[in-house]
Amino acid sequence: MYLTRFRLNTARVGARKLLSSPQALHAAVMSSFAEIPPVNEEGPRVLWRIDRNSKVETCLYIVSPDKPELTHLVEQAGWPETGRWQTYDYQALLSRLAKGNRWAFRLTANPVHSIRRKAEEPTKLTAHVSQKHQIDWLLQRQESAGFKVIEKPTEHQLIPGLDSHELVIHDRHQLTFKKRGNAKPVTLLTVTFDGRLEVTDPEAFSRTLTRGLGRGKAYGCGLMTLAEA
């Protein structure tokens, strides 16, 4: 497994076009591999995420079973003369996972739920729009994903019900774009979670890091990255 970081040059038209279309960016990411890795729910897959760290720094992160080659992205959306990318051995981090470890994390996700307005209607996927429901969405998945978000002491909670965990939500985006072969536009709501977690099941957590969490993985959702807490 590999973790790759690439900084986009948002002054370039090519970069702005990619950032406006998750489908186009997904195609560009998958073009980084001579042989496109299969989408296998039972094994590692290609995951990617855009981090808008500031007005002058927008980065693409990729986790993949194979090492990517991003020359085409440098030429289209980077700095052809000076820009490169950094690829790291992700297995080194995965091998360090142990029960009780604490990490800072970032996750961009597509928090959705199924609803049915009438009994005779089929269920429909609908995005969670409130911050409380988005937090609940993550907390409901933490046990099976092999981690738990660290809870705050009661005296440190500022907003009961919204501030009980070491977790913040930012970069809420709603994108509408055309999917190839489908006349109906796709609407995607994404949110980014920053927080601190504790590993409860290293094997399950490793699967989460290499297979992603939630829906919308082809559109830049599901990739969780870690940093020293």
Side-chain angles (χ1 to χ4, degrees), residues 28-209:
V29 169
M30 299 308 285
S31 296
S32 303
F33 306 96
E35 295 184 10
I36 297 178
V39 178
N40 182 0
E41 294 300 329
E42 299 303 317
R45 59 172 292 164
V46 176
L47 300 167
W48 61 272
R49 186 183 77 218
I50 291 293
D51 280 8
R52 295 171 174 84
N53 298 320
S54 69
K55 289 183 178 180
V56 296
E57 185 177 81
T58 298
C59 295
L60 167 68
Y61 288 88
I62 304 171
V63 163
S64 56
D66 301 315
K67 186 179 292 188
E69 161 61 58
L70 303 185
T71 300
H72 64 298
L73 279 174
V74 174
E75 294 173 347
Q76 179 183 359
W79 288 265
E81 296 295 327
T82 59
R84 295 297 297 166
W85 64 91
Q86 300 83 41
T87 297
Y88 307 94
D89 178 9
Y90 203 44
Q91 198 60 46
L93 181 143
L94 297 175
S95 64
R96 293 173 54 195
L97 299 178
K99 187 174 182 179
N101 284 168
R102 291 192 169 193
W103 299 86
F105 74 90
R106 173 168 289 180
L107 166 71
T108 293
N110 172 222
V112 296
H113 65 299
S114 297
I115 62 170
R116 180 188 283 119
R117 291 189 175 88
K118 297 180 181 178
E120 65 274 13
E121 289 183 349
T123 58
K124 179 182 179 181
L125 282 177
T126 304
H128 285 301
V129 295
S130 76
Q131 187 174 353
K132 182 182 187 307
H133 288 145
Q134 291 165 353
I135 291 173
D136 288 345
W137 176 89
L138 180 60
L139 297 180
Q140 289 163 7
R141 285 157 179 77
Q142 60 181 350
E143 182 177 356
S144 61
F147 68 92
K148 64 178 180 181
V149 181
I150 296 172
E151 295 187 40
K152 288 183 178 181
T154 304
E155 61 272 18
H156 293 167
Q157 298 178 21
L158 302 178
I159 308 174
L162 284 179
D163 195 35
S164 58
H165 293 78
E166 295 196 22
L167 184 66
V168 296
I169 292 178
H170 60 97
D171 280 357
R172 293 158 51 105
H173 291 282
Q174 181 166 302
L175 291 173
T176 301
F177 57 95
K178 291 278 186 73
K179 187 176 179 180
R180 185 175 299 173
N182 191 342
K184 188 177 180 180
V186 175
T187 299
L188 183 74
L189 175 70
T190 67
V191 299
T192 298
F193 300 92
D194 280 353
R196 294 179 68 240
L197 59 77
E198 181 177 311
V199 179
T200 56
D201 183 336
E203 185 175 348
F205 191 45
S206 181
R207 289 196 297 269
T208 297
L209 296 177

